[in-house]
Each structure stands twice: as structure tokens, then as C-alpha cells.
Amino acid sequence: MAKFQGQKIWGAAALAGAMLVTAGCTTGADKPDVVTSPPSDASAHLVDARGADRGRVDIYRTSSGLRLEVVARGFAPGQYGMHVHSVGQCAGPDFASAGGHWNPTSKQHGRDNPQGAHHGDLPNLVIDSGEIGRATVNLVGTRLDGDGALIDADGAAFVIHAGPDDYRSDPAGNSGARVACGVITRG
């Protein structure tokens, strides 16, 4: 009987050792806290007038249009207008080179404007404490390429303004100066 109990102990120890060796062979993809995202179809690196990093916008094609995922850094708490602009240029210090809002359907500005809203209108970016803001925006019926698409012959840019968009004033929602800009590029 004593010999049998000893074999049980050694067998259990061998099994535990094998489990430890196997556990040490996991990869980063096996860990639940590692999140991987598919590559974006387009993106924009946001900078301020001094060229400092202010965040990123990733754009993904969806079955209904485009999804924009915004991460903005270095902003004080508050609300900021954000828009897609019609020209793929971001020359500082005022980013006027980005042109007006992207408006392929010739609408007026603002979701609360009875004559609006155009495709470049987006909700305000809300920055809570911590100086980082995140937003996900779905542009239903919008294409990345082709006739009337986001990226046309002169490109497009993503702009964050100094103040909140009032959602009705044409042409820019009374959202103030352009404080961050990024040229939208494919992949």
C-alpha cells in the first residue's frame, strides 16, 4: 500500500510540473489583456501649430459607410468641434490650407440646421480630466474612395477646433480656430 501512495505523489508532481512548463509557453496573443485591432483603411496623425503630437484618427470601412476612431491628446477638459475638411493639407499655424468642411452633398452646416447637415459635420469631442479624448463616429453612406468619397483628388484632413460646435451656424458651427490637423492618408 505504501508503494502505491508514493507513485500517486510522484505522478501528481509530474503532472504539476508539466502544467507549469506548458503555462510558460503562452504568447502575447494568448493573454486576455492584449488587444489587437485590424489595420485601418486610412488614418490621420494630428499635430498642433508647433508640430507637436495631438493624437490620431483611424478610419475603417464598414458595411454601412466609414467608422472614425479618434484619440486626441494634450487638450484641456472641455468640448471641441471636430470636422472632416475638404483638402488634404495641414500647413500651420492656422491650418487654413485644409479648406472648408468636406461637403460632397452641398448641404449647410450642423445637425441642428434645417438645411444641414453635411458629411464633414461630426459631434463634439469631449475631453474629460486627463487630457485624452476618445470618440467613435459612424459616417453612414460614406465611401473612402470613388465619386463623392472622402479621399478625392485633393485629399482630405481631420481638424479639431478651439471650441465646441454649436451644430447649427453655417459654415463651421462657430467652433473657433483650428488647433490640430491631420492629413488623411490610405492605410
Side-chain angles (χ1 to χ4, degrees):
M1 180 87 165
K3 184 176 182 182
F4 181 70
Q5 285 179 345
Q7 288 175 339
K8 280 172 80 176
I9 292 172
W10 281 107
L15 178 61
M19 290 173 64
L20 284 173
V21 169
T22 304
C25 294
T26 61
T27 65
D30 298 327
K31 295 179 183 177
D33 61 342
V34 175
V35 177
T36 58
S37 297
S40 61
D41 295 299
S43 63
H45 176 234
L46 302 172
V47 296
D48 64 17
R50 296 180 327 243
D53 178 25
R54 297 306 289 264
R56 179 178 175 89
V57 179
D58 287 303
I59 302 171
Y60 300 90
R61 286 184 176 103
T62 68
S63 59
S64 62
L66 298 175
R67 182 180 78 245
L68 284 64
E69 294 183 6
V70 181
V71 176
R73 312 183 226 324
F75 290 88
Q79 292 188 31
Y80 299 85
M82 58 180 183
H83 307 107
V84 176
H85 284 249
S86 62
V87 180
Q89 294 182 21
C90 288
D94 62 2
F95 305 120
S97 60
H101 293 181
W102 176 55
N103 188 2
T105 56
S106 299
K107 300 281 187 179
Q108 287 190 7
H109 175 79
R111 69 179 189 195
D112 294 342
N113 182 332
Q115 303 299 314
H118 57 67
H119 286 289
D121 289 343
L122 303 176
N124 285 323
L125 175 66
V126 177
I127 308 280
D128 291 323
S129 62
E131 299 181 350
I132 294 180
R134 297 178 190 277
T136 298
V137 179
N138 291 302
L139 299 178
V140 177
T142 303
R143 295 183 310 277
L144 188 60
D145 303 291
D147 188 37
L150 178 66
I151 300 178
D152 59 11
D154 62 358
F158 190 92
V159 173
I160 297 177
H161 293 263
D165 188 320
D166 67 14
Y167 298 131
R168 67 183 169 276
S169 298
D170 195 50
N174 212 15
S175 52
R178 301 170 185 194
V179 296
C181 186
V183 174
I184 297 172
T185 59
R186 287 179 184 84

PDB file of all heavy atoms in Angstrom, residues 21 23 26 28 41 49 54 58 70 76 86-87 104 109 124 127 138 143 153 175 183:
ATOM      1  N   VAL A  21       5.314  24.023 -17.130  1.00  0.00           N
ATOM      2  CA  VAL A  21       6.080  24.182 -18.367  1.00  0.00           C
ATOM      3  C   VAL A  21       5.160  24.649 -19.489  1.00  0.00           C
ATOM      4  O   VAL A  21       5.474  25.554 -20.240  1.00  0.00           O
ATOM      5  CB  VAL A  21       6.803  22.864 -18.736  1.00  0.00           C
ATOM      6  CG1 VAL A  21       7.360  22.933 -20.138  1.00  0.00           C
ATOM      7  CG2 VAL A  21       7.905  22.567 -17.733  1.00  0.00           C
ATOM      8  N   ALA A  23       2.326  26.288 -19.201  1.00  0.00           N
ATOM      9  CA  ALA A  23       1.883  27.656 -18.944  1.00  0.00           C
ATOM     10  C   ALA A  23       2.946  28.666 -19.351  1.00  0.00           C
ATOM     11  O   ALA A  23       2.629  29.767 -19.775  1.00  0.00           O
ATOM     12  CB  ALA A  23       1.540  27.835 -17.462  1.00  0.00           C
ATOM     13  N   THR A  26       3.024  30.345 -23.339  1.00  0.00           N
ATOM     14  CA  THR A  26       1.991  31.152 -23.969  1.00  0.00           C
ATOM     15  C   THR A  26       2.615  32.324 -24.693  1.00  0.00           C
ATOM     16  O   THR A  26       3.717  32.754 -24.382  1.00  0.00           O
ATOM     17  CB  THR A  26       0.979  31.671 -22.917  1.00  0.00           C
ATOM     18  OG1 THR A  26       1.684  32.486 -21.999  1.00  0.00           O
ATOM     19  CG2 THR A  26       0.278  30.526 -22.226  1.00  0.00           C
ATOM     20  N   GLY A  28       1.909  36.407 -26.420  1.00  0.00           N
ATOM     21  CA  GLY A  28       1.155  37.619 -26.105  1.00  0.00           C
ATOM     22  C   GLY A  28      -0.274  37.550 -26.607  1.00  0.00           C
ATOM     23  O   GLY A  28      -1.176  38.099 -26.013  1.00  0.00           O
ATOM     24  N   ASP A  41      -8.100  51.395 -42.661  1.00  0.00           N
ATOM     25  CA  ASP A  41      -8.115  51.626 -44.107  1.00  0.00           C
ATOM     26  C   ASP A  41      -7.522  52.988 -44.454  1.00  0.00           C
ATOM     27  O   ASP A  41      -7.036  53.203 -45.558  1.00  0.00           O
ATOM     28  CB  ASP A  41      -9.545  51.524 -44.637  1.00  0.00           C
ATOM     29  CG  ASP A  41     -10.100  50.120 -44.475  1.00  0.00           C
ATOM     30  OD1 ASP A  41      -9.509  49.188 -45.060  1.00  0.00           O
ATOM     31  OD2 ASP A  41     -11.101  49.944 -43.751  1.00  0.00           O
ATOM     32  N   ALA A  49      -0.032  73.571 -34.152  1.00  0.00           N
ATOM     33  CA  ALA A  49       0.705  74.548 -34.970  1.00  0.00           C
ATOM     34  C   ALA A  49       2.219  74.427 -34.800  1.00  0.00           C
ATOM     35  O   ALA A  49       2.966  74.773 -35.709  1.00  0.00           O
ATOM     36  CB  ALA A  49       0.250  75.962 -34.631  1.00  0.00           C
ATOM     37  N   ARG A  54      -0.778  65.513 -31.322  1.00  0.00           N
ATOM     38  CA  ARG A  54      -2.055  65.758 -30.637  1.00  0.00           C
ATOM     39  C   ARG A  54      -3.023  64.596 -30.780  1.00  0.00           C
ATOM     40  O   ARG A  54      -4.165  64.696 -30.365  1.00  0.00           O
ATOM     41  CB  ARG A  54      -2.689  67.035 -31.164  1.00  0.00           C
ATOM     42  CG  ARG A  54      -1.875  68.294 -30.914  1.00  0.00           C
ATOM     43  CD  ARG A  54      -1.492  68.504 -29.458  1.00  0.00           C
ATOM     44  NE  ARG A  54      -2.592  68.854 -28.613  1.00  0.00           N
ATOM     45  CZ  ARG A  54      -2.927  70.089 -28.272  1.00  0.00           C
ATOM     46  NH1 ARG A  54      -2.232  71.103 -28.712  1.00  0.00           N
ATOM     47  NH2 ARG A  54      -3.950  70.299 -27.483  1.00  0.00           N
ATOM     48  N   ASP A  58      -8.182  56.927 -36.812  1.00  0.00           N
ATOM     49  CA  ASP A  58      -8.156  55.728 -37.653  1.00  0.00           C
ATOM     50  C   ASP A  58      -9.514  55.588 -38.310  1.00  0.00           C
ATOM     51  O   ASP A  58     -10.554  55.771 -37.658  1.00  0.00           O
ATOM     52  CB  ASP A  58      -7.825  54.483 -36.827  1.00  0.00           C
ATOM     53  CG  ASP A  58      -6.372  54.459 -36.419  1.00  0.00           C
ATOM     54  OD1 ASP A  58      -5.511  54.512 -37.312  1.00  0.00           O
ATOM     55  OD2 ASP A  58      -6.091  54.402 -35.208  1.00  0.00           O
ATOM     56  N   VAL A  70     -11.244  58.271 -32.975  1.00  0.00           N
ATOM     57  CA  VAL A  70     -10.416  59.431 -32.654  1.00  0.00           C
ATOM     58  C   VAL A  70      -9.811  59.269 -31.265  1.00  0.00           C
ATOM     59  O   VAL A  70     -10.513  58.929 -30.312  1.00  0.00           O
ATOM     60  CB  VAL A  70     -11.270  60.724 -32.684  1.00  0.00           C
ATOM     61  CG1 VAL A  70     -10.430  61.948 -32.373  1.00  0.00           C
ATOM     62  CG2 VAL A  70     -12.002  60.869 -34.004  1.00  0.00           C
ATOM     63  N   ALA A  76      -7.097  70.502 -22.805  1.00  0.00           N
ATOM     64  CA  ALA A  76      -7.721  70.761 -21.509  1.00  0.00           C
ATOM     65  C   ALA A  76      -9.120  70.167 -21.509  1.00  0.00           C
ATOM     66  O   ALA A  76      -9.726  69.987 -22.580  1.00  0.00           O
ATOM     67  CB  ALA A  76      -7.784  72.267 -21.261  1.00  0.00           C
ATOM     68  N   SER A  86     -12.029  69.502 -46.493  1.00  0.00           N
ATOM     69  CA  SER A  86     -12.050  69.080 -47.887  1.00  0.00           C
ATOM     70  C   SER A  86     -10.708  68.982 -48.599  1.00  0.00           C
ATOM     71  O   SER A  86     -10.652  68.467 -49.712  1.00  0.00           O
ATOM     72  CB  SER A  86     -12.958  70.027 -48.682  1.00  0.00           C
ATOM     73  OG  SER A  86     -12.438  71.341 -48.643  1.00  0.00           O
ATOM     74  N   VAL A  87      -9.627  69.452 -48.003  1.00  0.00           N
ATOM     75  CA  VAL A  87      -8.319  69.433 -48.675  1.00  0.00           C
ATOM     76  C   VAL A  87      -7.305  68.724 -47.782  1.00  0.00           C
ATOM     77  O   VAL A  87      -7.226  69.006 -46.582  1.00  0.00           O
ATOM     78  CB  VAL A  87      -7.830  70.866 -48.995  1.00  0.00           C
ATOM     79  CG1 VAL A  87      -6.477  70.842 -49.690  1.00  0.00           C
ATOM     80  CG2 VAL A  87      -8.857  71.600 -49.858  1.00  0.00           C
ATOM     81  N   PRO A 104     -19.686  66.925 -49.875  1.00  0.00           N
ATOM     82  CA  PRO A 104     -19.973  66.464 -51.234  1.00  0.00           C
ATOM     83  C   PRO A 104     -21.441  66.564 -51.632  1.00  0.00           C
ATOM     84  O   PRO A 104     -21.765  66.495 -52.811  1.00  0.00           O
ATOM     85  CB  PRO A 104     -19.514  65.009 -51.208  1.00  0.00           C
ATOM     86  CG  PRO A 104     -19.660  64.588 -49.791  1.00  0.00           C
ATOM     87  CD  PRO A 104     -19.324  65.818 -48.992  1.00  0.00           C
ATOM     88  N   HIS A 109     -24.185  73.609 -42.780  1.00  0.00           N
ATOM     89  CA  HIS A 109     -23.530  73.011 -41.627  1.00  0.00           C
ATOM     90  C   HIS A 109     -24.502  72.752 -40.480  1.00  0.00           C
ATOM     91  O   HIS A 109     -25.382  73.553 -40.214  1.00  0.00           O
ATOM     92  CB  HIS A 109     -22.415  73.926 -41.108  1.00  0.00           C
ATOM     93  CG  HIS A 109     -21.789  73.412 -39.849  1.00  0.00           C
ATOM     94  ND1 HIS A 109     -20.860  72.405 -39.846  1.00  0.00           N
ATOM     95  CD2 HIS A 109     -22.003  73.727 -38.560  1.00  0.00           C
ATOM     96  CE1 HIS A 109     -20.515  72.139 -38.598  1.00  0.00           C
ATOM     97  NE2 HIS A 109     -21.193  72.934 -37.807  1.00  0.00           N
ATOM     98  N   ASN A 124     -19.193  66.903 -31.209  1.00  0.00           N
ATOM     99  CA  ASN A 124     -18.084  67.497 -30.472  1.00  0.00           C
ATOM    100  C   ASN A 124     -17.251  66.407 -29.793  1.00  0.00           C
ATOM    101  O   ASN A 124     -17.779  65.398 -29.343  1.00  0.00           O
ATOM    102  CB  ASN A 124     -18.593  68.477 -29.412  1.00  0.00           C
ATOM    103  CG  ASN A 124     -19.058  69.775 -30.004  1.00  0.00           C
ATOM    104  OD1 ASN A 124     -18.476  70.270 -30.966  1.00  0.00           O
ATOM    105  ND2 ASN A 124     -20.102  70.349 -29.439  1.00  0.00           N
ATOM    106  N   ILE A 127     -13.461  66.102 -23.865  1.00  0.00           N
ATOM    107  CA  ILE A 127     -12.239  65.762 -23.129  1.00  0.00           C
ATOM    108  C   ILE A 127     -12.561  65.876 -21.650  1.00  0.00           C
ATOM    109  O   ILE A 127     -12.923  66.947 -21.164  1.00  0.00           O
ATOM    110  CB  ILE A 127     -11.070  66.719 -23.475  1.00  0.00           C
ATOM    111  CG1 ILE A 127     -10.849  66.826 -24.982  1.00  0.00           C
ATOM    112  CG2 ILE A 127      -9.813  66.311 -22.723  1.00  0.00           C
ATOM    113  CD1 ILE A 127     -10.098  65.714 -25.618  1.00  0.00           C
ATOM    114  N   ASN A 138     -19.638  57.142 -36.709  1.00  0.00           N
ATOM    115  CA  ASN A 138     -20.004  56.374 -37.901  1.00  0.00           C
ATOM    116  C   ASN A 138     -20.553  57.335 -38.951  1.00  0.00           C
ATOM    117  O   ASN A 138     -21.490  58.094 -38.675  1.00  0.00           O
ATOM    118  CB  ASN A 138     -21.050  55.313 -37.559  1.00  0.00           C
ATOM    119  CG  ASN A 138     -20.457  54.224 -36.704  1.00  0.00           C
ATOM    120  OD1 ASN A 138     -19.496  53.581 -37.100  1.00  0.00           O
ATOM    121  ND2 ASN A 138     -21.002  54.029 -35.523  1.00  0.00           N
ATOM    122  N   ARG A 143     -18.186  56.827 -48.489  1.00  0.00           N
ATOM    123  CA  ARG A 143     -17.158  55.940 -49.050  1.00  0.00           C
ATOM    124  C   ARG A 143     -15.775  56.562 -48.863  1.00  0.00           C
ATOM    125  O   ARG A 143     -15.637  57.777 -48.807  1.00  0.00           O
ATOM    126  CB  ARG A 143     -17.411  55.715 -50.539  1.00  0.00           C
ATOM    127  CG  ARG A 143     -18.697  54.960 -50.828  1.00  0.00           C
ATOM    128  CD  ARG A 143     -18.879  54.703 -52.330  1.00  0.00           C
ATOM    129  NE  ARG A 143     -18.713  55.880 -53.173  1.00  0.00           N
ATOM    130  CZ  ARG A 143     -19.654  56.780 -53.413  1.00  0.00           C
ATOM    131  NH1 ARG A 143     -20.833  56.664 -52.873  1.00  0.00           N
ATOM    132  NH2 ARG A 143     -19.423  57.806 -54.216  1.00  0.00           N
ATOM    133  N   ALA A 153      -9.351  63.812 -55.304  1.00  0.00           N
ATOM    134  CA  ALA A 153      -8.110  64.254 -55.957  1.00  0.00           C
ATOM    135  C   ALA A 153      -7.246  65.151 -55.073  1.00  0.00           C
ATOM    136  O   ALA A 153      -6.014  65.073 -55.126  1.00  0.00           O
ATOM    137  CB  ALA A 153      -8.442  64.974 -57.262  1.00  0.00           C
ATOM    138  N   SER A 175     -17.097  77.196 -34.127  1.00  0.00           N
ATOM    139  CA  SER A 175     -16.239  76.415 -33.231  1.00  0.00           C
ATOM    140  C   SER A 175     -14.833  76.974 -33.059  1.00  0.00           C
ATOM    141  O   SER A 175     -13.995  76.355 -32.406  1.00  0.00           O
ATOM    142  CB  SER A 175     -16.177  74.962 -33.699  1.00  0.00           C
ATOM    143  OG  SER A 175     -15.825  74.871 -35.055  1.00  0.00           O
ATOM    144  N   VAL A 183      -3.583  65.173 -42.047  1.00  0.00           N
ATOM    145  CA  VAL A 183      -3.940  64.787 -43.422  1.00  0.00           C
ATOM    146  C   VAL A 183      -4.368  63.325 -43.393  1.00  0.00           C
ATOM    147  O   VAL A 183      -3.684  62.476 -42.821  1.00  0.00           O
ATOM    148  CB  VAL A 183      -2.741  64.988 -44.370  1.00  0.00           C
ATOM    149  CG1 VAL A 183      -3.068  64.455 -45.759  1.00  0.00           C
ATOM    150  CG2 VAL A 183      -2.376  66.464 -44.427  1.00  0.00           C
TER     151      VAL A 183
END
